Amino acid sequence: MAALSKHPAHVVATVELVQKGIRNKAIKMTTSHLDFYSGKPDDNGQVFLEPFPAAEMRHLMDQKRPWLAPRGCPSILPTDEHLDSCWQARHLWNALRCYLKFNQDDLAPGILEGTGWDFYMDERVGRLTDTWPWKVESFLDRFDSAKPHVICFLSNHKPLTDMVPSTVEIRTILYTVGSRMVDKKYQHHRIVPITIISAAGYSLRITQGFVDQDQLFVRMTSIFDFTAGEHERWDDFIQALCWIVGKPVGITV
């Protein structure tokens, strides 16, 4: 607590709530539905991430055709029922990641370049999940102190339940908010929005969370099943990609 006292009061309050939640102590939490296509929540609160325009994503896909990349762009298919939930989710993430990074011209940039987002691993959070049955596969950041927003992909070890945040989703939000809040570059922000591409097996949803006014807010979209592969749910797969490179918005200071 001595170290915390050096930080601004709002940072101290947020980190104390994060620490309380991580220790499995009761914290105030509000859940609400998040629209998968518009990014608008049902809680009458702010939009913090506007999904990339789906029509533009389809156009970029037609241009870059990542599935023809010489290095090979993995598909969700064939699925493997013998893998555990985390490994199946990791398979789904690998397909999403490669569709954004690869190009049929191996020397040309993929869709991700030019969006302002890039992959990284928060070592403070990564170390915590190394020995657990769930894992944050990667984070995405704009490395812009004016935008505290973070996106990450989470492999869950248990099935997702509609409109019920999993323990690991809550922990990922809390850990990531806490990690960003103690970074002095972002301490002028009151809110740190975390958007999780959350998967268990081949099922996926978007879970968004942030801490404000001494409580945790968690928003969740419907759950989408990609067991039949990306082409059977192409529009939903495209929309998932749109979340990964969405536009950070909202008042966070």
Side-chain angles (χ1 to χ4, degrees), residues 120-208:
Y120 80 106
M121 177 51 72
D122 185 325
E123 295 300 330
R124 283 173 291 199
V125 179
R127 283 195 300 271
L128 291 168
T129 67
D130 276 346
T131 59
W132 291 347
W134 54 278
K135 187 170 179 61
V136 178
E137 302 294 339
S138 184
F139 292 88
L140 289 98
D141 196 355
R142 286 192 169 221
F143 304 101
D144 177 359
S145 61
K147 300 292 182 184
H149 309 60
V150 178
I151 298 173
C152 65
F153 186 92
L154 174 66
S155 296
N156 293 264
H157 64 297
K158 293 182 179 179
L160 299 173
T161 302
D162 190 45
M163 288 308 299
V164 179
S166 69
T167 300
V168 298
E169 288 174 323
I170 293 171
R171 282 182 171 269
T172 298
I173 293 165
L174 291 173
Y175 278 128
T176 310
V177 166
S179 179
R180 176 129 295 187
M181 268 294 183
V182 297
D183 187 334
K184 290 185 178 180
K185 296 192 300 293
Y186 297 97
Q187 289 188 343
H188 58 291
H189 294 280
R190 181 174 52 87
I191 297 173
V192 175
I194 310 300
T195 301
I196 304 173
I197 316 303
S198 185
Y202 297 106
S203 294
L204 174 149
R205 74 174 167 207
I206 308 301
T207 300
Q208 192 176 80

Side-chain angles (χ1 to χ4, degrees), residues 13-103:
T14 296
V15 173
E16 286 179 341
L17 184 144
V18 164
Q19 291 175 336
K20 189 176 178 182
I22 290 171
R23 291 170 185 157
N24 294 319
K25 295 183 178 179
I27 59 174
K28 188 175 181 181
M29 182 173 70
T30 300
T31 61
S32 59
H33 184 262
L34 182 65
D35 189 86
F36 185 65
Y37 299 101
S38 69
K40 294 180 179 179
D42 281 356
D43 58 12
N44 296 318
Q46 295 188 74
V47 171
F48 286 116
L49 194 73
E50 292 179 353
F52 190 85
E56 188 174 345
M57 180 63 76
R58 291 189 191 92
H59 176 67
L60 287 171
M61 280 289 164
D62 289 340
Q63 277 188 330
K64 298 182 183 290
R65 304 171 78 82
W67 52 88
L68 298 178
R71 70 185 92 174
C73 183
S75 169
I76 296 172
L77 296 176
T79 56
D80 189 340
E81 62 183 21
H82 300 295
L83 295 175
D84 66 23
S85 179
C86 261
W87 274 102
Q88 289 177 341
R90 194 166 293 130
H91 192 185
L92 175 54
W93 166 239
N94 201 29
L96 289 163
R97 179 181 64 84
C98 292
Y99 268 87
L100 288 174
K101 284 184 68 73
F102 290 1
N103 190 314

